[in-house]
Amino acid sequence: MAFAYPEMLATVRDRQWALADIDWDAPGADRITEEQRPRLAAFMADLVWIEQVGARGFAALTRKAPPGALREIYRYFHAEEQKHANAELALMRRWGMLGENEMPVPNNNIRLVIEWLDRYGDEVSMAVLGTVIPSLETALDGALVKFLLDEVHDPLCHEVFRHINSDESRHLAVGFQVLDQLGAGPLRQVAIETAGFVLRPSFVIGSLVYAPLLSRMAANVAALGLDEEKLWKAVRRYESAGERSPNIRRVPLYQVVRLHARLTVDRTQPVQLLVDALNVGIDRLPLRLLGRPPSWSRELTFEPVAA
């Protein structure tokens, strides 16, 4: 049966929620232990900015999608990713991890990805965005968020992430459907669109900032105690979409992204040495070379606004 984008759009509209719906003063904030606090603060700071990266990706998809229900769905997904970041900021504020009007500072990996997206994001084709974003969403939903819910016993955190996970499930449903449609179309056209972008210098630069970020996040959650099997399950979820759909397997970039995700989780393979070396260099980059965070990132707020 064909996927009904208008019905999904109606569901997305119906399931909207706001920070103002949540009682941020509810009991449970004291369940964060002093031992947890430093590593959880660093983890949440990264999560906030990764949500912003996702938001920027959906903003680019909004410009690439054909007019109609799918484009409108992407507009909602863009706003939802920003809302997720705001909710995570509100949790940090609730747990005493941020001072008055303070915002978490993105690490160098994320700063580089943000800089790349701001400069080149609108040039990326629908085929590339539609292949890469489901992989990132799968990792976020399948690994990072599950780790957080295992580690944190504040009931309000679980309430917030029930909302976030509900949104993410719809992001993935649409993402995999778009990926299926890309594979169902003329393969020559998808291959030409993909090759036309991957041969650009901007794609090479993007790969050199994307791979180290993904590797660092995998290493960080593993160091924080996430079961390696859960990382593999996140990777397998992306792979299983291709196993169920011959159309998805026909998308050339899907095979590349699938392999890269496997290599990222398997930190024993030789390619990881190169990525680790890149991360050493990225850590040493002077802040003045990274530029200021773009204006769209200033929309972050921990205030319980109604939308």
Side-chain angles (χ1 to χ4, degrees):
M1 187 173 69
F3 189 92
Y5 288 115
E7 290 182 13
M8 175 58 80
L9 176 58
T11 300
V12 170
R13 285 172 171 159
D14 185 57
R15 302 290 174 84
Q16 290 301 299
W17 58 280
L19 270 66
D21 299 332
I22 296 168
D23 180 6
W24 296 101
D25 296 321
D30 56 352
R31 296 192 183 185
I32 305 300
T33 68
E34 288 305 314
E35 182 183 3
Q36 281 181 312
R37 194 173 299 277
R39 62 177 184 158
L40 185 58
F43 178 88
M44 291 293 292
D46 285 348
L47 195 56
V48 165
W49 285 103
I50 288 172
E51 300 278 17
Q52 283 289 90
V53 168
R56 187 60 179 83
F58 280 123
L61 274 170
T62 300
R63 295 179 176 89
K64 298 295 181 182
L70 179 58
R71 180 180 291 183
E72 191 64 18
I73 286 170
Y74 282 144
R75 290 189 196 279
Y76 274 96
F77 287 178
H78 172 216
E80 286 175 351
E81 292 290 343
Q82 291 178 310
K83 181 166 55 182
H84 298 170
N86 290 342
E88 289 150 11
L89 272 178
L91 283 171
M92 292 184 74
R93 184 69 182 268
R94 168 181 167 84
W95 296 332
M97 296 172 179
L98 292 174
E100 189 70 27
N101 298 321
E102 184 182 0
M103 291 292 171
V105 178
N107 64 45
N108 283 7
N109 291 87
I110 293 174
R111 287 284 291 273
L112 286 172
V113 169
I114 288 173
E115 178 70 19
W116 186 90
L117 278 170
D118 208 40
R119 187 170 297 183
Y120 303 112
D122 292 335
E123 300 175 9
V124 185
S125 72
M126 181 82 176
V128 173
L129 288 168
T131 305
V132 173
I133 288 180
S135 175
L136 293 176
E137 292 271 298
T138 303
L140 184 67
D141 181 56
L144 302 187
V145 170
K146 283 184 173 56
F147 162 75
L148 187 63
L149 295 180
D150 287 346
E151 286 286 303
V152 176
H153 303 295
D154 179 356
L156 192 74
C157 176
H158 289 245
E159 178 186 343
V160 169
F161 277 95
R162 275 196 297 272
H163 288 299
I164 291 175
N165 282 339
S166 179
D167 292 343
E168 296 290 353
S169 68
R170 289 184 288 278
H171 295 187
L172 284 171
V174 172
F176 287 134
Q177 175 60 26
V178 168
L179 192 51
D180 185 271
Q181 287 183 287
L182 288 169
L187 187 58
R188 183 170 177 270
Q189 179 181 344
V190 174
I192 290 172
E193 286 182 3
T194 303
F197 182 73
V198 301
L199 293 176
R200 296 179 186 178
S202 57
F203 178 80
V204 177
I205 296 169
S207 299
L208 291 175
V209 299
Y210 168 78
L213 172 64
L214 212 60
S215 176
R216 171 153 286 169
M217 293 308 299
N220 285 352
V221 294
L224 287 170
L226 179 69
D227 187 347
E228 187 176 287
E229 183 60 27
K230 291 184 179 178
L231 285 172
W232 275 112
K233 283 181 179 178
V235 171
R236 287 290 301 155
R237 190 175 179 189
Y238 185 72
E239 288 187 348
S240 65
E243 291 170 358
R244 291 192 304 268
S245 169
N247 290 337
I248 291 179
R249 290 199 300 272
R250 293 177 72 238
V251 178
L253 192 58
Y254 163 79
Q255 300 294 345
V256 175
V257 172
R258 178 186 66 82
L259 177 60
H260 176 250
R262 275 183 162 266
L263 293 175
T264 298
V265 175
D266 181 10
R267 298 186 56 78
T268 62
Q269 42 77 31
V271 176
Q272 195 59 48
L273 296 175
L274 173 61
V275 177
D276 287 343
L278 282 171
N279 270 327
V280 170
I282 288 170
D283 285 341
R284 295 177 178 175
L285 283 174
L287 287 178
R288 66 178 182 275
L289 296 181
L290 299 177
R292 296 180 179 179
S295 59
W296 47 265
S297 69
R298 295 176 198 152
E299 296 179 26
L300 281 167
T301 173
F302 49 79
E303 297 293 340
V305 292

